[in-house]
Amino acid sequence: MSTRLLLALIAALLIVRLPSLVQPMGPDQGLYAYVGERILHGDLAYRDAWDQKPPGIHYLYAALRAISHSDVTVPAADLAAAALIALLLWRIGAGLGGPVAGGLSAALFLLLSDPSFARYGGVRVRAQCETFIGLAVTAALAVSGWSRRYDAGAKVSARTGGPGAAALILAGLLIGVAFALKYNAGLYGLVVLMALAVTTGLTLADAALVVSGSLMVPAALFVVFWHGGALNDLYQATIAYNVRYSGETYASRWDMLAYLVRFPIDHARVDALWFIGGIGCLVLVAAGLARRAVWIPVAWVAAACLSIAINGSRGLPQYFLQAAPALALAAGVGLTIAFAPLPRWAQWLAAIAIAVGVWRAGTDPFPKLADNVWHDTQYVLGRMDRRTHLARYGGARDIDKFSALDNADLGAFLASGTTSADTVYVFGFSAAAYVYADRRSASRFFWSRPVILDFNREDPRYGVAGLLADLQRAQPAYVVLQRHDWAPDVEDSAPFFLAQPALAGWLRAGYHEVPSIDGFEAWQRNLR
């Protein structure tokens, strides 16, 4: 396969992703966007807007919202990240297996990690924490220096042409960025050190430079939250809550270990990238006995699997995004090595067999991809109105807890009945409504799950008591309750709110119900 053909394929795969730029933000992205907006207004995450994700994603979304308030920033950031990862994978793959291995890794990544394979056209998985973790880790491996100096055909001496101090610090800094997005991503620092150890050689001084670089971003964030008096809020949201959230899915440590062993096999049955990446890993495990450097993608995949398992066994699709670059690299390098000694006829037979396996992984993934891309293209061409377009993204099934159209309608409803000086409150999982309305939440608990779980109830600033105190202080112009969002995991938001004597008493004493959109109850403050 020629380099020109691979370049043409990569360009085509990027073009296929362009129609996704018209997609709305998903539910998690609405959370990040709201916190990002509050940061731009001088507020501090967790103290003023409480979300469980580490602060990196909130500052990233603040940067996106500073560029534009349009939804396009979300799919555009996702597309830019994918293009950069593909470029970096080509560079890393070329260092491990030659130009074809690099180009094949990039092409497989762009093809098989396309979010449009997912339900709702991929709105839930675009520009997630794991998207940018994948970019940061890929960049860390690329800039650390070994891939530029490593000869794909032979080992190098331990210290010949080793990476410079600046490259190692930068690689560490990128791992620190990944850590700031999700703490378990710090595991990938071990992959960078392993890559150095099996290629250019690793000294204690090298490791110290990588570690020192990795501490820069977390240290800066520590200072920000210390200065804002929010270190405890940071801890409660990003560590205590997440330990509970992940722990809910495991009966024991052995249960977690069993999931860690089981889920890569299960996922290979339904996800083509995991299928072909798994084949690549098997090839590289054997090939690494002769050339240890090709174990790097395998170690990267292993670290990704452990990071995924730390998140819990819910199997949320965004958890698996972080493994995509590693799997694509393993597939590209592994297949190049495996195909090299085969006669042409055997290469064709193997390629056909793998292609059939890729096509059959999951439930009609490629027709789903085509259908999602075609839908977005129809909207781009003006053959579909915006409401019909948004209606595709959630809300069609009874179990859906998110609807892009409902969020847009709710945002318009809140904006039309309030001024910029008013606060509003949406108790549910529809944070994008705040963003579309350009209104501030009356409580830092701008989504409902932490309150429903009664998380950290010993602290009067949390749970029902903390929410009630916020509402009494802010007196929002509207209170909106989402009827269905969390069941059967936990109670839905509207029934929960109205079943709490303190919350329901406060609401009925000062508010009256008004017509709203389907799926929500809206209460307007009296005497408005």
Side-chain angles (χ1 to χ4, degrees):
M1 186 176 292
S2 69
T3 301
R4 287 185 179 181
L5 180 59
L6 286 168
L7 282 171
L9 177 59
I10 287 170
L13 291 170
L14 288 170
I15 291 171
V16 166
R17 293 190 180 215
L18 287 177
S20 69
L21 294 176
V22 300
Q23 291 186 358
M25 69 176 80
D28 288 347
Q29 294 82 351
L31 299 176
Y32 312 149
Y34 176 74
V35 181
E37 286 282 0
R38 298 321 311 158
I39 289 172
L40 294 177
H41 283 82
D43 287 344
L44 193 59
Y46 317 113
R47 185 192 67 190
D48 304 308
W50 203 96
D51 178 38
Q52 72 192 79
K53 299 296 193 301
I57 193 67
H58 303 132
Y59 283 97
L60 193 153
Y61 268 71
L64 294 179
R65 302 296 295 178
I67 294 170
S68 172
H69 290 283
S70 170
D71 279 11
V72 71
T73 57
V74 174
D78 189 88
L79 178 58
L84 289 171
I85 289 172
L87 176 65
L88 294 167
L89 284 177
W90 190 314
R91 176 176 174 178
I92 297 170
L96 289 172
V100 172
L104 186 59
S105 299
L108 288 171
F109 170 77
L110 288 175
L111 172 61
L112 299 180
S113 71
D114 193 323
S116 290
F117 278 115
R119 191 188 304 139
Y120 309 127
V123 293
R124 289 176 175 268
V125 297
R126 294 189 194 276
Q128 282 277 8
C129 300
E130 289 81 0
T131 303
F132 303 109
I133 288 172
L135 175 58
V137 176
T138 308
L141 285 167
V143 304
S144 58
W146 65 267
S147 62
R148 292 196 303 273
R149 296 171 174 85
Y150 185 76
D151 180 355
K155 297 178 181 178
V156 296
S157 60
R159 295 306 301 165
T160 299
L168 294 174
I169 292 173
L170 179 56
L173 186 145
L174 289 163
I175 295 298
V177 169
F179 176 86
L181 290 162
K182 273 198 170 180
Y183 299 152
N184 41 314
L187 289 168
Y188 295 111
L190 298 176
V191 181
V192 172
L193 296 177
M194 180 265 193
L196 293 168
V198 299
T199 54
T200 61
L202 177 68
T203 67
L204 186 60
D206 293 337
L209 289 170
V210 173
V211 171
S212 63
S214 70
L215 294 176
M216 292 180 178
V217 172
L221 290 170
F222 180 90
V223 171
V224 167
F225 288 98
W226 170 76
H227 184 264
L231 284 179
N232 183 58
D233 290 319
L234 173 68
Y235 169 80
Q236 295 297 337
T238 65
I239 297 179
Y241 184 90
N242 283 320
V243 168
R244 172 175 172 174
Y245 185 73
S246 174
E248 289 171 352
T249 68
Y250 296 123
S252 66
R253 293 178 181 176
W254 289 110
D255 192 26
M256 178 179 175
L257 181 60
Y259 177 72
L260 178 60
V261 172
R262 183 181 67 250
F263 88 77
I265 300 171
D266 292 342
H267 222 63
R269 295 192 180 104
V270 298
D271 188 311
L273 186 53
W274 282 80
F275 168 75
I276 198 170
I279 293 174
C281 284
L282 293 176
V283 172
L284 294 179
V285 167
L289 298 175
R291 186 154 56 95
R292 291 186 303 164
V294 299
W295 280 340
I296 294 170
V298 180
W300 190 1
V301 171
C305 289
L306 181 55
S307 180
I308 291 167
I310 290 172
N311 284 324
S313 63
R314 286 182 175 85
L316 298 180
Q318 60 265 32
Y319 293 169
F320 301 92
L321 300 176
Q322 61 192 295
L327 290 163
L329 182 65
V333 176
L335 293 181
T336 301
I337 291 174
F339 276 49
L342 299 178
R344 182 60 59 89
W345 64 267
Q347 291 179 350
W348 277 105
L349 284 178
I352 292 171
I354 291 172
V356 170
V358 166
W359 182 271
R360 291 176 62 85
T363 306
D364 296 326
F366 288 93
K368 184 189 299 181
L369 170 68
D371 183 52
N372 287 330
V373 173
W374 179 247
H375 172 89
D376 291 336
T377 302
Q378 291 295 97
Y379 180 66
V380 170
L381 296 175
R383 298 173 181 171
M384 182 186 303
D385 64 78
R386 180 152 182 80
R387 292 190 65 81
T388 303
H389 174 60
L390 291 179
R392 182 179 179 87
Y393 303 108
R397 305 178 308 161
D398 291 339
I399 62 172
D400 288 345
K401 60 185 179 182
F402 166 79
S403 164
L405 180 59
D406 286 352
N407 271 253
D409 285 346
L410 187 56
F413 169 81
L414 294 172
S416 66
T418 60
T419 69
S420 59
D422 290 321
T423 63
V424 296
Y425 188 62
V426 180
F427 192 68
F429 191 45
S430 297
Y434 296 111
V435 179
Y436 295 140
D438 192 22
R439 297 293 182 265
R440 182 169 62 88
S441 170
S443 172
R444 65 174 178 153
F445 298 106
F446 64 100
W447 60 299
S448 61
R449 199 173 194 275
V451 178
I452 294 173
L453 290 177
D454 208 15
F455 171 73
N456 203 22
R457 62 183 176 182
E458 297 82 7
D459 188 329
R461 299 180 306 125
Y462 285 79
V464 170
L467 172 59
L468 180 61
D470 287 347
L471 295 176
Q472 289 173 330
R473 181 169 51 251
Q475 292 296 309
Y478 284 93
V479 174
V480 179
L481 311 177
Q482 189 168 347
R483 291 196 179 104
H484 175 69
D485 42 19
W486 303 114
D489 293 340
V490 295
E491 190 173 1
D492 285 325
S493 295
F496 174 87
F497 192 101
L498 296 174
Q500 308 305 308
L503 292 174
W506 169 84
L507 183 67
R508 293 190 172 105
Y511 291 76
H512 61 279
E513 192 169 1
V514 295
S516 181
I517 65 174
D518 289 343
F520 296 84
E521 296 182 21
W523 295 70
Q524 185 180 29
R525 193 174 68 229
N526 295 336
L527 304 178
R528 287 196 82 246

